[in-house]
Amino acid sequence: MVFFGQRLLKKLPFKEIFLHPIVRDAHGRKMSKSLGNVIDPMDVIQGISLEQLHLQLLDSNLDPKEIEKAKTGQKQDYPNGIPECGTDALRFALCAYMTQGRNINLDINRVQGYRFFCNKIWNALKFSMTYLSNIVNSSDSLLGNESPMDLWILSRLSTAVDACNKAFGNYELSVATTACYNLWLYDLCDVYLESLKPVFASGDNEAISAAKHTLYRVLDCGLRLLSPFMPFITEELYQRLPHPASIPRAASICVAPYPEQEVYCFKDESIEKEVEFVQKIVHSIRSARSDYNLPNKTKTDAYVKCMDENLKKTIVKFKCSITTLSNCNTLELNDAPPTGCVALTISDKCQVHLFLKGIIDPEKEYGKLEKKRESLITACTACERVLSSADSAQKLPQEILEGYHQKYVQTKGELDHLVEAMEGLKKME
């Protein structure tokens, strides 16, 4: 290509070349037929059973002894075969692996995780379409009556657009995939779409109009951000997304303009800090509900004891979103919460008291948590024994030791959280 360009056109066909790392298996080994760890992209896209993987070895020119060795490797790595992941998930995974390292340790489980991410995007659009079927005209500017959550998601959208454009400019594909992943999964699906449910049920036409305007903008921009990594699902959803007549629409998402920071300039750090504090409250309440085994249909009352006026204003401002996301009946600012509450510390200036009296049996729940505590202590002790052993450090691979360390940190965190929950139950008795 270079020689033909120089000869026929008197110029180079390109000025920059992007070199990607070598793709290895999940254990960091170079792919080899004799090891049975060669991954055919078509098998990842379409899926394949373990028996079919074995049959592929019989069609190769391997020695019978090497075939048996390869079968053992395949059975160890893919006991249930390779699940169908699709083209978009594989492309997204490979781009997400593009860090500054020289190797890509391709783990099929991670590719499958991105297939589930595709399902999440599809369901998010399907859910949103119930509200956008009669979308009003939209524009690139704000309407002026957006709710705090509308402004927050637009700020997060602006952050994602800026991160993706800078990442492409620096050839940091993993940064762009992370920005898209966080926007769709953690910001849009986990928070914003959930916070919209009471808005669309309220009957407030102005609030509904602003929510539709914001939701359309986030979906349209989010699909175009994701298009280079997942062209097939984004094309399908882009064609299904109802486009207002007031906005020019490209025939295909492939030729639609990529979002630019100059258009999506809604960054607001102050409101992002407020929602970050709100999410701490929501996470604490939801964790407590999980610890005390409260079903989703059981709603509780929450009382907030706060000593900071700015934080009080933030809580009042996002009161509806907090009650929706934490599955509470009510949320009140109260310096003297009633008895029968469990205290949850949010910060040194804020506490949430979750009313559980009459909802749970403290003695029964304490017994359940005590059994769980014993099992967590056993797991922690086992991890500590492996990590502190000199033989383990010499004989076990580094990745196995890292797995034990991660398990220890996670289990220790669960144990500390469980002890706090048990102390709360003691105070209720």
Side-chain angles (χ1 to χ4, degrees):
M1 187 181 294
V2 173
F3 288 125
F4 272 110
Q6 289 278 53
R7 180 70 176 176
L8 301 177
L9 302 175
K10 306 300 181 184
K11 63 179 182 179
L12 292 171
F14 39 73
K15 295 182 179 180
E16 297 177 348
I17 300 175
F18 183 72
L19 301 177
H20 66 76
I22 185 173
V23 181
R24 298 177 179 268
D25 70 2
H27 307 291
R29 301 172 301 179
K30 192 173 181 179
M31 292 190 184
S32 168
K33 289 182 180 179
S34 61
L35 293 176
N37 64 345
V38 176
I39 301 175
D40 187 337
M42 294 305 299
D43 292 340
V44 180
I45 293 170
Q46 299 175 355
I48 188 171
S49 66
L50 179 61
E51 291 75 16
Q52 289 173 316
L53 286 172
H54 289 344
L55 289 175
Q56 288 180 350
L57 295 174
L58 297 177
D59 295 334
S60 65
N61 58 355
L62 291 177
D63 183 85
K65 292 182 179 179
E66 290 185 332
I67 288 179
E68 291 303 317
K69 180 181 177 182
K71 283 184 177 181
T72 303
Q74 287 180 341
K75 188 174 181 180
Q76 181 180 357
D77 290 339
Y78 316 113
N80 300 314
I82 297 177
E84 180 182 355
C85 296
T87 308
D88 284 338
L90 178 58
R91 183 196 301 256
F92 192 88
L94 290 173
C95 292
Y97 271 115
M98 293 296 299
T99 59
Q100 297 299 322
R102 299 179 61 182
N103 299 307
I104 291 177
N105 296 346
L106 184 61
D107 188 351
I108 297 301
N109 290 328
R110 183 170 178 181
V111 182
Q112 187 181 24
Y114 290 131
R115 189 199 77 181
F116 298 147
F117 176 52
C118 291
N119 293 344
K120 193 79 172 180
I121 296 171
W122 184 276
N123 291 332
L125 260 292
K126 183 179 178 181
F127 173 78
S128 301
M129 292 282 283
T130 60
Y131 300 129
L132 297 178
S133 56
N134 298 317
I135 185 173
V136 296
N137 289 342
S138 185
S139 65
D140 290 335
S141 59
L142 297 175
L143 297 179
N145 60 340
E146 283 83 4
S147 69
M149 290 305 296
D150 293 335
L151 297 176
W152 171 77
I153 193 63
L154 289 175
S155 179
R156 298 300 301 153
L157 178 66
S158 179
T159 301
V161 170
D162 184 44
C164 286
N165 279 280
K166 288 181 179 178
F168 278 121
N170 297 325
Y171 298 102
E172 296 175 337
L173 300 185
S174 62
V175 175
T177 55
T178 300
C180 292
Y181 188 86
N182 291 342
L183 174 68
W184 276 96
L185 190 63
Y186 300 124
D187 298 334
L188 180 63
C189 295
D190 287 356
V191 180
Y192 185 64
L193 288 181
E194 292 297 322
S195 68
L196 285 185
K197 292 178 180 178
V199 175
F200 286 112
S202 66
D204 187 340
N205 292 330
E206 285 192 4
I208 292 174
S209 176
K212 284 184 177 181
H213 180 265
T214 303
L215 181 58
Y216 165 76
R217 179 179 295 175
V218 174
L219 294 175
D220 176 69
C221 180
L223 288 174
R224 287 186 284 133
L225 284 175
L226 200 56
S227 176
F229 306 110
M230 294 184 170
F232 295 103
I233 188 174
T234 53
E235 180 66 52
E236 179 68 25
L237 295 175
Y238 183 78
Q239 298 299 333
R240 296 189 180 203
L241 184 66
H243 291 264
S246 60
I247 296 181
R249 178 179 180 271
S252 168
I253 197 171
C254 296
V255 294
Y258 198 75
E260 297 180 355
Q261 184 64 26
E262 292 75 14
V263 178
Y264 296 90
C265 50
F266 308 116
K267 182 68 176 177
D268 188 340
E269 293 185 0
S270 62
I271 202 165
E272 288 196 27
K273 288 182 180 179
E274 290 177 346
V275 175
E276 183 180 356
F277 175 73
V278 165
Q279 288 179 311
K280 286 183 179 179
I281 296 177
V282 172
H283 176 73
S284 295
I285 295 176
R286 293 175 69 168
S287 295
R289 290 177 59 89
S290 176
D291 291 338
Y292 298 122
N293 302 310
L294 294 183
N296 290 331
K297 63 181 181 180
T298 303
K299 294 190 175 184
T300 58
D301 298 327
Y303 302 90
V304 181
K305 187 176 181 181
C306 189
M307 296 177 288
D308 187 287
E309 291 300 322
N310 291 328
L311 293 181
K312 284 183 179 180
K313 292 178 181 178
T314 299
I315 292 169
V316 172
K317 186 177 181 180
F318 292 93
K319 179 179 178 180
C320 180
S321 298
I322 296 174
T323 54
T324 301
L325 296 173
S326 61
N327 200 24
C328 289
N329 270 325
T330 59
L331 180 76
E332 297 180 11
L333 287 169
N334 194 329
D335 292 335
T339 57
C341 291
V342 172
L344 311 173
T345 301
I346 309 300
S347 69
D348 57 337
K349 297 180 180 179
C350 182
Q351 264 191 344
V352 172
H353 295 260
L354 198 62
F355 188 77
L356 297 178
K357 187 176 182 180
I359 300 176
I360 63 172
D361 183 349
E363 185 176 351
K364 183 179 179 181
E365 292 299 326
Y366 191 89
K368 291 180 181 178
L369 296 182
E370 179 62 32
K371 291 180 180 179
K372 188 175 180 181
R373 187 180 75 90
E374 292 174 357
S375 65
L376 289 175
I377 290 176
T378 303
C380 275
T381 304
C383 290
E384 285 178 337
R385 190 181 300 114
V386 173
L387 293 172
S388 61
S389 172
D391 291 339
S392 299
Q394 294 176 357
K395 297 179 180 179
L396 293 179
Q398 185 62 31
E399 60 182 21
I400 301 296
L401 290 175
E402 290 177 358
Y404 272 105
H405 182 263
Q406 291 176 2
K407 183 179 179 181
Y408 173 75
V409 171
Q410 181 180 355
T411 307
K412 188 69 168 59
E414 290 182 16
L415 182 60
D416 293 341
H417 199 69
L418 195 67
V419 170
E420 290 183 11
M422 294 174 71
E423 290 297 327
L425 285 176
K426 282 184 179 180
K427 295 177 181 178
M428 290 182 60
E429 294 178 349

mmCIF file with all atom_site columns, all heavy atoms in Angstrom, residues 248-259:
data_model
loop_
_atom_site.group_PDB
_atom_site.id
_atom_site.type_symbol
_atom_site.label_atom_id
_atom_site.label_alt_id
_atom_site.label_comp_id
_atom_site.label_asym_id
_atom_site.label_entity_id
_atom_site.label_seq_id
_atom_site.pdbx_PDB_ins_code
_atom_site.Cartn_x
_atom_site.Cartn_y
_atom_site.Cartn_z
_atom_site.occupancy
_atom_site.B_iso_or_equiv
_atom_site.pdbx_formal_charge
_atom_site.auth_seq_id
_atom_site.auth_comp_id
_atom_site.auth_asym_id
_atom_site.auth_atom_id
_atom_site.pdbx_PDB_model_num
ATOM 1  N N   . PRO A 1 248 ? -32.335 17.591 12.345 1.00 0.00 ? 248 PRO A N   1
ATOM 2  C CA  . PRO A 1 248 ? -31.930 16.824 11.153 1.00 0.00 ? 248 PRO A CA  1
ATOM 3  C C   . PRO A 1 248 ? -31.439 15.434 11.564 1.00 0.00 ? 248 PRO A C   1
ATOM 4  O O   . PRO A 1 248 ? -30.705 15.284 12.536 1.00 0.00 ? 248 PRO A O   1
ATOM 5  C CB  . PRO A 1 248 ? -30.790 17.655 10.555 1.00 0.00 ? 248 PRO A CB  1
ATOM 6  C CG  . PRO A 1 248 ? -30.963 19.022 11.133 1.00 0.00 ? 248 PRO A CG  1
ATOM 7  C CD  . PRO A 1 248 ? -31.568 18.844 12.479 1.00 0.00 ? 248 PRO A CD  1
ATOM 8  N N   . ARG A 1 249 ? -31.844 14.439 10.818 1.00 0.00 ? 249 ARG A N   1
ATOM 9  C CA  . ARG A 1 249 ? -31.511 13.058 11.160 1.00 0.00 ? 249 ARG A CA  1
ATOM 10 C C   . ARG A 1 249 ? -30.721 12.422 10.033 1.00 0.00 ? 249 ARG A C   1
ATOM 11 O O   . ARG A 1 249 ? -31.132 12.454 8.873  1.00 0.00 ? 249 ARG A O   1
ATOM 12 C CB  . ARG A 1 249 ? -32.790 12.264 11.414 1.00 0.00 ? 249 ARG A CB  1
ATOM 13 C CG  . ARG A 1 249 ? -32.578 10.792 11.737 1.00 0.00 ? 249 ARG A CG  1
ATOM 14 C CD  . ARG A 1 249 ? -33.924 10.121 11.991 1.00 0.00 ? 249 ARG A CD  1
ATOM 15 N NE  . ARG A 1 249 ? -33.774 8.715  12.306 1.00 0.00 ? 249 ARG A NE  1
ATOM 16 C CZ  . ARG A 1 249 ? -33.752 7.748  11.397 1.00 0.00 ? 249 ARG A CZ  1
ATOM 17 N NH1 . ARG A 1 249 ? -33.863 8.069  10.120 1.00 0.00 ? 249 ARG A NH1 1
ATOM 18 N NH2 . ARG A 1 249 ? -33.629 6.500  11.753 1.00 0.00 ? 249 ARG A NH2 1
ATOM 19 N N   . ALA A 1 250 ? -29.563 11.830 10.376 1.00 0.00 ? 250 ALA A N   1
ATOM 20 C CA  . ALA A 1 250 ? -28.753 11.140 9.382  1.00 0.00 ? 250 ALA A CA  1
ATOM 21 C C   . ALA A 1 250 ? -29.436 9.831  8.977  1.00 0.00 ? 250 ALA A C   1
ATOM 22 O O   . ALA A 1 250 ? -30.172 9.230  9.753  1.00 0.00 ? 250 ALA A O   1
ATOM 23 C CB  . ALA A 1 250 ? -27.365 10.856 9.945  1.00 0.00 ? 250 ALA A CB  1
ATOM 24 N N   . ALA A 1 251 ? -29.192 9.404  7.744  1.00 0.00 ? 251 ALA A N   1
ATOM 25 C CA  . ALA A 1 251 ? -29.804 8.168  7.260  1.00 0.00 ? 251 ALA A CA  1
ATOM 26 C C   . ALA A 1 251 ? -29.303 6.958  8.030  1.00 0.00 ? 251 ALA A C   1
ATOM 27 O O   . ALA A 1 251 ? -30.016 5.961  8.171  1.00 0.00 ? 251 ALA A O   1
ATOM 28 C CB  . ALA A 1 251 ? -29.520 8.002  5.771  1.00 0.00 ? 251 ALA A CB  1
ATOM 29 N N   . SER A 1 252 ? -28.078 7.035  8.519  1.00 0.00 ? 252 SER A N   1
ATOM 30 C CA  . SER A 1 252 ? -27.488 5.940  9.285  1.00 0.00 ? 252 SER A CA  1
ATOM 31 C C   . SER A 1 252 ? -26.610 6.521  10.383 1.00 0.00 ? 252 SER A C   1
ATOM 32 O O   . SER A 1 252 ? -26.036 7.607  10.229 1.00 0.00 ? 252 SER A O   1
ATOM 33 C CB  . SER A 1 252 ? -26.661 5.035  8.372  1.00 0.00 ? 252 SER A CB  1
ATOM 34 O OG  . SER A 1 252 ? -25.875 4.135  9.126  1.00 0.00 ? 252 SER A OG  1
ATOM 35 N N   . ILE A 1 253 ? -26.498 5.791  11.481 1.00 0.00 ? 253 ILE A N   1
ATOM 36 C CA  . ILE A 1 253 ? -25.642 6.266  12.573 1.00 0.00 ? 253 ILE A CA  1
ATOM 37 C C   . ILE A 1 253 ? -24.173 6.266  12.147 1.00 0.00 ? 253 ILE A C   1
ATOM 38 O O   . ILE A 1 253 ? -23.355 6.992  12.713 1.00 0.00 ? 253 ILE A O   1
ATOM 39 C CB  . ILE A 1 253 ? -25.850 5.388  13.827 1.00 0.00 ? 253 ILE A CB  1
ATOM 40 C CG1 . ILE A 1 253 ? -25.316 6.107  15.079 1.00 0.00 ? 253 ILE A CG1 1
ATOM 41 C CG2 . ILE A 1 253 ? -25.191 4.030  13.673 1.00 0.00 ? 253 ILE A CG2 1
ATOM 42 C CD1 . ILE A 1 253 ? -25.670 5.436  16.377 1.00 0.00 ? 253 ILE A CD1 1
ATOM 43 N N   . CYS A 1 254 ? -23.846 5.473  11.124 1.00 0.00 ? 254 CYS A N   1
ATOM 44 C CA  . CYS A 1 254 ? -22.460 5.428  10.630 1.00 0.00 ? 254 CYS A CA  1
ATOM 45 C C   . CYS A 1 254 ? -22.015 6.757  10.028 1.00 0.00 ? 254 CYS A C   1
ATOM 46 O O   . CYS A 1 254 ? -20.826 7.076  10.035 1.00 0.00 ? 254 CYS A O   1
ATOM 47 C CB  . CYS A 1 254 ? -22.302 4.327  9.592  1.00 0.00 ? 254 CYS A CB  1
ATOM 48 S SG  . CYS A 1 254 ? -22.579 2.670  10.230 1.00 0.00 ? 254 CYS A SG  1
ATOM 49 N N   . VAL A 1 255 ? -22.972 7.525  9.494  1.00 0.00 ? 255 VAL A N   1
ATOM 50 C CA  . VAL A 1 255 ? -22.629 8.811  8.877  1.00 0.00 ? 255 VAL A CA  1
ATOM 51 C C   . VAL A 1 255 ? -23.122 9.978  9.716  1.00 0.00 ? 255 VAL A C   1
ATOM 52 O O   . VAL A 1 255 ? -22.972 11.139 9.324  1.00 0.00 ? 255 VAL A O   1
ATOM 53 C CB  . VAL A 1 255 ? -23.204 8.905  7.442  1.00 0.00 ? 255 VAL A CB  1
ATOM 54 C CG1 . VAL A 1 255 ? -22.534 7.888  6.544  1.00 0.00 ? 255 VAL A CG1 1
ATOM 55 C CG2 . VAL A 1 255 ? -24.722 8.717  7.443  1.00 0.00 ? 255 VAL A CG2 1
ATOM 56 N N   . ALA A 1 256 ? -23.718 9.674  10.890 1.00 0.00 ? 256 ALA A N   1
ATOM 57 C CA  . ALA A 1 256 ? -24.149 10.747 11.791 1.00 0.00 ? 256 ALA A CA  1
ATOM 58 C C   . ALA A 1 256 ? -22.919 11.394 12.421 1.00 0.00 ? 256 ALA A C   1
ATOM 59 O O   . ALA A 1 256 ? -21.917 10.719 12.678 1.00 0.00 ? 256 ALA A O   1
ATOM 60 C CB  . ALA A 1 256 ? -25.060 10.176 12.871 1.00 0.00 ? 256 ALA A CB  1
ATOM 61 N N   . PRO A 1 257 ? -22.942 12.699 12.666 1.00 0.00 ? 257 PRO A N   1
ATOM 62 C CA  . PRO A 1 257 ? -21.766 13.365 13.253 1.00 0.00 ? 257 PRO A CA  1
ATOM 63 C C   . PRO A 1 257 ? -21.482 12.833 14.655 1.00 0.00 ? 257 PRO A C   1
ATOM 64 O O   . PRO A 1 257 ? -22.404 12.590 15.442 1.00 0.00 ? 257 PRO A O   1
ATOM 65 C CB  . PRO A 1 257 ? -22.171 14.834 13.282 1.00 0.00 ? 257 PRO A CB  1
ATOM 66 C CG  . PRO A 1 257 ? -23.672 14.832 13.251 1.00 0.00 ? 257 PRO A CG  1
ATOM 67 C CD  . PRO A 1 257 ? -24.055 13.637 12.432 1.00 0.00 ? 257 PRO A CD  1
ATOM 68 N N   . TYR A 1 258 ? -20.193 12.654 14.951 1.00 0.00 ? 258 TYR A N   1
ATOM 69 C CA  . TYR A 1 258 ? -19.813 12.198 16.289 1.00 0.00 ? 258 TYR A CA  1
ATOM 70 C C   . TYR A 1 258 ? -19.973 13.357 17.270 1.00 0.00 ? 258 TYR A C   1
ATOM 71 O O   . TYR A 1 258 ? -19.642 14.499 16.955 1.00 0.00 ? 258 TYR A O   1
ATOM 72 C CB  . TYR A 1 258 ? -18.369 11.700 16.292 1.00 0.00 ? 258 TYR A CB  1
ATOM 73 C CG  . TYR A 1 258 ? -18.048 10.834 17.479 1.00 0.00 ? 258 TYR A CG  1
ATOM 74 C CD1 . TYR A 1 258 ? -18.502 9.523  17.552 1.00 0.00 ? 258 TYR A CD1 1
ATOM 75 C CD2 . TYR A 1 258 ? -17.295 11.329 18.543 1.00 0.00 ? 258 TYR A CD2 1
ATOM 76 C CE1 . TYR A 1 258 ? -18.209 8.719  18.644 1.00 0.00 ? 258 TYR A CE1 1
ATOM 77 C CE2 . TYR A 1 258 ? -16.994 10.529 19.639 1.00 0.00 ? 258 TYR A CE2 1
ATOM 78 C CZ  . TYR A 1 258 ? -17.464 9.220  19.688 1.00 0.00 ? 258 TYR A CZ  1
ATOM 79 O OH  . TYR A 1 258 ? -17.191 8.427  20.772 1.00 0.00 ? 258 TYR A OH  1
ATOM 80 N N   . PRO A 1 259 ? -20.536 13.114 18.460 1.00 0.00 ? 259 PRO A N   1
ATOM 81 C CA  . PRO A 1 259 ? -20.768 14.203 19.435 1.00 0.00 ? 259 PRO A CA  1
ATOM 82 C C   . PRO A 1 259 ? -19.493 14.970 19.755 1.00 0.00 ? 259 PRO A C   1
ATOM 83 O O   . PRO A 1 259 ? -18.435 14.379 19.948 1.00 0.00 ? 259 PRO A O   1
ATOM 84 C CB  . PRO A 1 259 ? -21.292 13.457 20.663 1.00 0.00 ? 259 PRO A CB  1
ATOM 85 C CG  . PRO A 1 259 ? -21.865 12.184 20.134 1.00 0.00 ? 259 PRO A CG  1
ATOM 86 C CD  . PRO A 1 259 ? -21.003 11.808 18.972 1.00 0.00 ? 259 PRO A CD  1
#
